[in-house]
Amino acid sequence: SQTIHQWPATLVQPVGSPLSLECTVEGTSNPNLYWYRQAAGRGLQLLFYSVGIGQISSEVPQNLSASRPQDRQFILSSKKLLLSDSGFYLCAWSGQRGRVGYTFGSGTRLTVV
Amino acid sequence: AQSVTQLDSHVSVSEGTPVLLRCNYSSSYSPSLFWYVQHPNKGLQLLLKYTSAATLVKGINGFEAEFKKSETSFHLTKPSAHMSDAAEYFCVVSDREGSTLGRLYFGRGTQLTVWP
């Protein structure tokens, strides 16, 4: 069966420090991968998506970047965190026909102080 | 363009009473629709999905939703609320038919509170 792993679960980082959040999927190949952010009191915002290795699309201009070095690995990064980067980050995957829905990771609570 | 409107940001019910979470969608295509649930500091879990088969969809934990094309609605219901149902619920519409990406568009969420 397919599983998705996301870590760390919680993270407290100072302003200006770098960030690396990792997401891996098991039990499937060539998934579509997604990073979402959920800010307090707001809905989910799609940050990045990837339909293949090295293929990254950004939805909104921001202080973050994403990479997909392997088929089932998706990394969210920042060189210098801002206070506004705080939030709950969710990784998700879908099959190539994403209309059947996503499977989400358990999320990372990031607090920038 | 696809979009979702969840009509209530908060819903409160007593345990054992019915639950109704309202959702209206806009789509230029025949949509796929989903409801997800999120418990505090957890990922999102798929409750149910509509993908152009039966209009009444049954999901996990006793939830169901009815697709009404004439009303562009996909309301989520449950006959009897349980304390464990307290969570945030998201109504979601998919990208267009034939899209490889299969992007999902989320509503802003409805926080369900269940009183004992």
Side-chain angles (χ1 to χ4, degrees):
Chain A
S1 63
Q2 302 92 353
T3 57
I4 180 168
H5 303 280
Q6 187 181 342
W7 68 93
T10 59
L11 192 59
V12 180
Q13 292 284 99
V15 169
S17 64
L19 172 73
S20 180
L21 303 181
E22 189 162 345
C23 173
T24 60
V25 180
E26 296 178 357
T28 187
S29 59
N30 199 25
N32 290 337
L33 296 171
Y34 311 84
W35 278 110
Y36 279 85
R37 178 169 58 201
Q38 187 177 30
R42 302 176 65 180
L44 278 79
Q45 179 185 36
L46 179 62
L47 301 177
F48 300 96
Y49 62 89
S50 171
V51 299
I53 296 174
Q55 301 179 61
I56 308 295
S57 297
S58 174
E59 283 294 295
V60 294
Q62 57 199 314
N63 185 43
L64 302 168
S65 62
S67 61
R68 185 170 178 175
Q70 301 180 41
D71 181 45
R72 290 167 290 177
Q73 184 184 29
F74 205 25
I75 298 172
L76 183 69
S77 303
S78 173
K79 292 182 179 178
K80 291 185 178 182
L81 283 169
L82 305 172
L83 287 174
S84 58
D85 291 325
S86 293
F88 192 54
Y89 289 82
L90 289 160
C91 179
W93 77 272
S94 73
Q96 286 296 316
R97 304 295 291 185
R99 282 165 57 88
V100 298
Y102 291 4
T103 301
F104 283 86
S106 55
T108 296
R109 172 70 60 190
L110 172 65
T111 304
V112 182
V113 296
Chain B
Q2 284 66 248
S3 67
V4 171
T5 301
Q6 290 184 245
L7 299 167
D8 307 293
S9 58
H10 292 87
V11 170
S12 295
V13 300
S14 297
E15 190 175 23
T17 63
V19 176
L20 170 64
L21 306 183
R22 298 182 294 165
C23 172
N24 286 101
Y25 71 90
S26 173
S27 177
S28 303
Y29 307 89
S30 296
S32 289
L33 294 157
F34 311 82
W35 276 98
Y36 283 85
V37 61
Q38 184 182 28
H39 289 89
N41 290 312
K42 300 291 186 183
L44 276 72
Q45 180 184 20
L46 180 65
L47 275 180
L48 50 80
K49 61 185 177 186
Y50 166 78
T51 55
S52 75
T55 56
L56 182 62
V57 182
K58 294 187 183 298
I60 62 172
N61 301 334
F63 284 95
E64 62 182 39
E66 186 172 6
F67 173 70
K68 292 186 177 180
K69 186 175 181 179
S70 60
E71 299 176 10
T72 61
S73 69
F74 191 57
H75 301 332
L76 181 70
T77 60
K78 183 173 180 177
S80 176
H82 191 273
M83 295 294 290
S84 61
D85 294 329
E88 188 154 23
Y89 292 78
F90 293 93
C91 182
V92 184
V93 65
S94 71
D95 205 356
R96 67 187 187 279
E97 176 70 49
S99 168
T100 298
L101 178 61
R103 276 188 56 183
L104 300 186
Y105 297 84
F106 286 79
R108 284 189 161 270
T110 298
Q111 183 67 46
L112 176 64
T113 300
V114 182
W115 301 103

